[in-house]
Amino acid sequence: MRNSVRIGGGAGFASDRIDALGPLIRNGSVDYIILEMLAERTLAILQGAQEIGRDGFFPSLLHRLDRYLPECLDKGIGIITNGGGVDPLGAAKRIAETRSRRDIPCRIGVVTGDDVRAAILRDDVMIPEYGVRLSEIGRGCISAHAYLGSEGIERCLADGAHVVITGRVADPALVLGPVRHALGWSPTDFDLAARGLVAGHLVECGAQATGGYFADAVNKTVPDLETVGYPIAEVHCDGRIVISKPSETGGVVDRRTVTEQLLYEVHDPSQYLTPDAVIDLSQAEVDEAQDGVHVTGIAGRPAPETLKVLVALENGYLVEGGISYHGPGALERAALAEDILRKRFKLILRGKARDIWFTRYGTGDVRLHMCARVRDTQQADILAAEVEALYTNGPAGGGGARAVVRRSLEIVSTLIPRDTVSVSVEMIDA
């Protein structure tokens, strides 16, 4: 086994900069790159896309791999990503087809098992936010995905995968999987697991750890953000962590940026719950050194007996629209337009004009913005048309009217017993 492994954080969300991978591959001396692409409601959105015949994974994943996978394969750099969305197997097959056409051998591992919608419907689980069971909320369940740990990723890498594609896994597990595989850590050493997970937590959000999310224009200035480098975690066999970034990139890695990311989205630093271990950050130390920022003092305990599940519920439709007024009386005309829309909405919704908001901003140029939540698409389309109808139905001089309709989701969470979730692995050779 080796003494250390270097892992680059190549994406913090689905639409992150694609060219961030270049410096990691060429100047980062990394062994693996993770692409963390999921937010809390992303899988529900992808589920909806799949229902109308679109892909259940991210096109941006295909763009990234089309551009950079050949170079990664040449350099022996593995890629681990949750960009498979609700269809990691479909994503893997699409990538394999591309590689086969180009005659570039590649082994792809696929991790599934996070889709637990059938199980939570069957068991009619409690939803803590509402204090009732799922069926009592009275709205359709679009999707339900459990946060998996690193187990499936490790299995894929042990089976020779160059690329591992998952759906919902805990973000830090994207790093713990290759760390355990490379360094031969025991699955029952929870101190080491916690340290690998912290390394993952520090790089999972991309440039947040290298000055991007940290920066402001006055008190926390960061150089060359237009070429900000993405983070690298070097994890040693004893669990020591060193955070750095590729040479000749913008941004900064120092005690402050790493400390901010260390505490990001952590509720209780003494027991940060993940599917692989419970992390204790209360004694963590963050120190600057010549080779990067060192993070030590991390402890761990056995993982919880339950897994967190994100549940997406139907929440009607959102209508967003606006129109602009310019010149003398612009503010008054925008106020009149708002009054017209409020009265029209009451007529259309038969007095049930709830969940409607208006905002006016500007002085010489005034924009009236509205947002409404309604039950169905028919109501939504009617309200959207009312915004554009202001062109000729008063007040005078309106311009730039537009409105969009989109499905509204509510994301709630629950817990399910760990033993109700079965992790599956499949290998595809291109």
Side-chain angles (χ1 to χ4, degrees):
M1 291 297 171
R2 41 201 303 178
N3 292 323
S4 66
V5 60
R6 289 171 61 85
I7 300 178
F13 63 105
S15 300
D16 211 343
R17 292 177 182 169
I18 291 179
D19 62 5
L21 274 72
L24 286 172
I25 295 167
R26 293 158 198 155
N27 303 320
S29 300
V30 296
D31 303 294
Y32 297 93
I33 291 174
I34 69 161
L35 303 174
E36 198 291 291
M37 303 180 73
L38 297 183
E40 281 67 21
R41 64 182 57 232
T42 315
L43 291 186
I45 295 170
L46 288 172
Q47 187 76 50
Q50 194 173 47
E51 288 172 3
I52 59 174
R54 297 177 183 171
D55 289 331
F57 50 86
F58 297 107
S60 60
L61 173 63
L62 303 183
H63 299 332
R64 283 178 168 84
L65 296 188
D66 187 59
R67 181 170 173 180
Y68 289 111
L69 181 55
E71 197 171 354
C72 286
L73 292 172
D74 286 344
K75 292 179 176 291
I77 299 171
I79 296 175
I80 299 97
T81 180
N82 56 14
V86 296
D87 189 15
L89 184 58
K93 289 179 178 178
R94 188 78 62 82
I95 293 162
E97 290 170 5
T98 303
R99 301 276 69 77
S100 296
R101 288 197 301 269
R102 295 185 177 185
D103 196 25
I104 302 174
C106 178
R107 190 154 219 227
I108 305 169
V110 181
V111 181
T112 56
D114 58 302
D115 186 346
V116 295
R117 181 174 178 272
I120 70 159
L121 290 174
R122 179 195 66 215
D123 297 338
D124 197 17
V125 297
M126 286 292 297
I127 303 297
E129 285 98 327
Y130 282 90
V132 299
R133 294 197 174 275
L134 179 59
S135 62
E136 297 177 76
I137 297 176
R139 284 185 274 135
C141 174
I142 299 168
S143 65
H145 291 266
Y147 282 88
L148 305 182
S150 64
E151 171 198 348
I153 297 169
E154 288 181 74
R155 286 165 55 187
C156 289
L157 294 173
D159 223 354
H162 304 108
V163 178
V164 180
I165 301 178
T166 78
R168 176 68 70 188
V169 299
D171 298 350
L174 296 170
V175 165
L176 181 60
V179 167
R180 275 181 166 166
H181 170 72
L183 302 182
W185 287 354
S186 165
T188 58
D189 191 326
F190 295 105
D191 282 337
L192 287 180
R195 293 162 193 168
L197 290 165
V198 166
H201 178 63
L202 289 171
V203 302
E204 71 193 29
C205 294
Q208 284 193 193
T210 55
Y213 202 60
F214 168 88
D216 69 27
V218 180
N219 298 308
K220 298 188 297 181
T221 57
V222 175
D224 304 320
L225 281 173
E226 72 280 3
T227 58
V228 63
Y230 279 44
I232 300 167
E234 182 172 8
V235 185
H236 293 259
C237 57
D238 62 359
R240 287 180 294 119
I241 304 164
V242 182
I243 304 297
S244 62
K245 66 181 182 67
S247 60
E248 300 179 4
T249 58
V252 65
V253 177
D254 62 19
R255 188 173 185 273
R256 298 181 303 161
T257 64
V258 172
T259 299
E260 279 200 11
Q261 181 61 28
L262 185 65
L263 297 176
Y264 179 70
E265 292 183 335
V266 173
H267 177 254
D268 182 349
S270 68
Q271 49 179 355
Y272 177 25
L273 306 180
T274 83
D276 288 294
V278 177
I279 306 169
D280 184 355
L281 299 170
S282 61
Q283 304 302 311
E285 297 184 7
V286 181
D287 300 293
E288 295 181 18
Q290 189 171 0
D291 59 343
V293 175
H294 290 226
V295 182
T296 55
I298 308 298
R301 299 191 298 278
E305 292 301 315
T306 54
L307 295 177
K308 180 180 177 179
V309 178
L310 288 182
V311 182
L313 302 177
E314 294 278 7
N315 201 25
Y317 290 82
L318 283 179
V319 186
E320 286 189 84
I323 188 168
S324 297
Y325 296 92
H326 174 72
L331 189 60
E332 291 78 10
R333 281 181 284 140
L336 176 56
E338 177 181 334
D339 183 62
I340 293 169
L341 287 179
R342 285 186 183 276
K343 291 174 179 176
R344 288 291 297 171
F345 291 171
K346 284 184 179 180
L347 289 172
I348 293 165
L349 299 179
R350 301 180 184 276
K352 298 178 181 179
R354 62 180 185 86
D355 294 338
I356 297 178
W357 302 269
F358 288 89
T359 304
R360 282 171 272 153
Y361 50 92
T363 52
D365 291 286
V366 180
R367 182 76 177 175
L368 173 66
H369 179 80
M370 62 77 58
C371 181
R373 190 193 309 278
V374 295
R375 293 190 308 272
D376 55 50
T377 53
Q378 184 178 12
Q379 286 183 333
D381 289 340
I382 291 171
L383 296 192
E386 284 294 324
V387 176
E388 293 201 40
L390 291 172
Y391 270 135
T392 57
N393 289 280
R402 58 175 61 95
V404 296
V405 174
R406 55 190 174 91
R407 191 181 192 182
S408 179
L409 311 172
E410 181 183 11
I411 305 299
V412 296
S413 59
T414 189
L415 299 173
I416 60 172
R418 177 183 292 270
D419 58 14
T420 64
V421 177
S422 178
V423 179
S424 299
V425 164
E426 183 172 341
M427 307 301 295
I428 296 176
D429 288 305

